[in-house]
Amino acid sequence: MRLLFEIDTNDYDLNGVAFIRHSARCINIKNGLVAMVHSIKYDYYKFPGGGIEEDESAENAMIRETQEEAGLVVIPESVKEYGYVHRIQKSDHDDADYFVQDNYYYLCDVEEVIHSQDLDDYEADEKFTLEYVKPDKAIFINRNANHGPKEQPMLEREARVLELLKEEGYFG
């Protein structure tokens, strides 16, 4: 899978302890709109997806997490690799000095019927809501709204992926 870009905040000690947690994300585009999870509480947009569990493939994690977070059922035969973003920054975990994450993005189609979400406690608290939005709206919100305690590198990652998709003609 191709490297889309790297985000390195350079605010950590590489000689310290790393916390590594990779993730996989769904890119579903329909009629010039992209499926995003909107955190109503902190007003930001992210691609549906999440952490890859031990002994789980990135593709299977993306399918599972997309259904849990957004209620979208990915059609497995439609999945195509898009690229990944490598992120490294100071960790907010007590037992680690820095955080490393490869975020794998997949283009895919989904079934027409939207199912109910199966949210974790923090996702429910943030009021994760599926929205099909114009990419420019999600980019603007992620870069300009007040997101409280949410980490800007994660929000910038999503904005930059949206910009790449626009540049490559995925929105028409």
Side-chain angles (χ1 to χ4, degrees), residues 16 46 54 63-64 73 80 84 95 104 108 129 131 136-137 146 151:
K46 69 182 271 311
E54 190 174 324
I63 291 170
R64 175 183 54 77
V73 177
K80 295 179 186 136
Y84 75 99
D95 57 350
Y104 302 98
C108 53
T129 304
E131 290 183 26
D136 288 337
K137 177 182 178 180
N146 178 358
E151 295 177 354

Side-chain angles (χ1 to χ4, degrees), residues 46-149:
K46 69 182 271 311
F47 288 94
I52 302 169
E53 301 294 335
E54 190 174 324
D55 298 325
E56 183 177 42
S57 72
E59 188 175 313
N60 285 340
M62 179 272 299
I63 291 170
R64 175 183 54 77
E65 286 280 353
T66 298
Q67 184 161 0
E68 290 174 2
E69 284 190 355
L72 296 174
V73 177
V74 172
I75 300 168
E77 302 78 35
S78 73
V79 175
K80 295 179 186 136
E81 292 181 354
Y82 179 66
Y84 75 99
V85 175
H86 179 73
R87 181 168 63 124
I88 182 168
Q89 68 186 72
K90 184 176 181 176
S91 177
D92 61 0
H93 293 216
D94 293 335
D95 57 350
D97 300 299
Y98 64 101
F99 175 66
V100 178
Q101 186 175 60
D102 287 338
N103 301 270
Y104 302 98
Y105 291 83
Y106 295 89
L107 295 159
C108 53
D109 295 327
V110 297
E111 293 179 0
E112 290 298 318
V113 176
I114 298 173
H115 298 265
S116 60
Q117 297 165 291
D118 182 16
L119 300 176
D120 292 338
D121 289 343
Y122 90 90
E123 295 166 339
D125 179 62
E126 287 194 30
K127 296 182 176 79
F128 274 16
T129 304
L130 169 66
E131 290 183 26
Y132 277 89
V133 297
K134 292 184 177 184
D136 288 337
K137 177 182 178 180
I139 292 167
F140 181 83
I141 294 294
N142 279 13
R143 289 186 172 155
N144 295 289
N146 178 358
H147 308 294

Side-chain angles (χ1 to χ4, degrees), residues 151-163:
E151 295 177 354
Q152 192 58 39
M154 182 268 291
L155 306 176
E156 180 61 21
R157 178 195 72 211
E158 302 298 65
R160 287 180 64 187
V161 170
L162 286 166
E163 286 178 333

